[in-house]
Amino acid sequence: MKLKAFLLSSLVAAPLAFANAEITTQDTYARATPPTAVTSAVFGNIHNSGDRARNIVSVSVDAAGKSELHDVIMDGEMMKMRHVDTFVIPANGKLPLKPGGHHIMMFDLKHPLKEGQTLNVTLTFANGEKYQFQAPVKKVMAGMSMNHNMDHGKEMDHGKMDMQH
């Protein structure tokens, strides 16, 4: 009887394990922060080797009190960062997470992010499945196109940005 229960539970769990194997990450990292910063972001690539698109509906990061899916759009001459409900990873494709585009935004950091640390990131998909990966913390060049450590709503020195949530 125990063997039957084990086999049955293995069959039920097998599709989820297979589906999870279709998702991989590459070149992920979180931006290091100065001591007083309360926000940062995670970047990299999320790959989907499956034959159907996958929808990420939420994210959590162990070093942040709150994490959100964000993208950046142009509204006239103003770049606007906004919270979105879903990231879609195309079938047999990838979703790049990069400054000035889709990214994982972290708020209420529990501590400054220092180079050499590693963050645990959990993606939740529309079907309830979760995928976890680690993102090393890295220093990035000061000339990057976005500064996630700025106060929301302030203008940037090299352009305008309106942060919406």
Side-chain angles (χ1 to χ4, degrees), residues 2 6 51 56 67 104 127 153:
K2 287 183 182 180
F6 173 75
D51 59 2
I56 301 169
S67 303
I104 296 169
N127 66 358

Side-chain angles (χ1 to χ4, degrees), residues 7-28:
L7 290 174
L8 183 58
S9 66
S10 296
L11 288 173
V12 170
L16 293 178
F18 177 72
N20 209 3
E22 295 173 348
I23 301 298
T24 57
T25 55
Q26 182 181 21
D27 302 323
T28 58

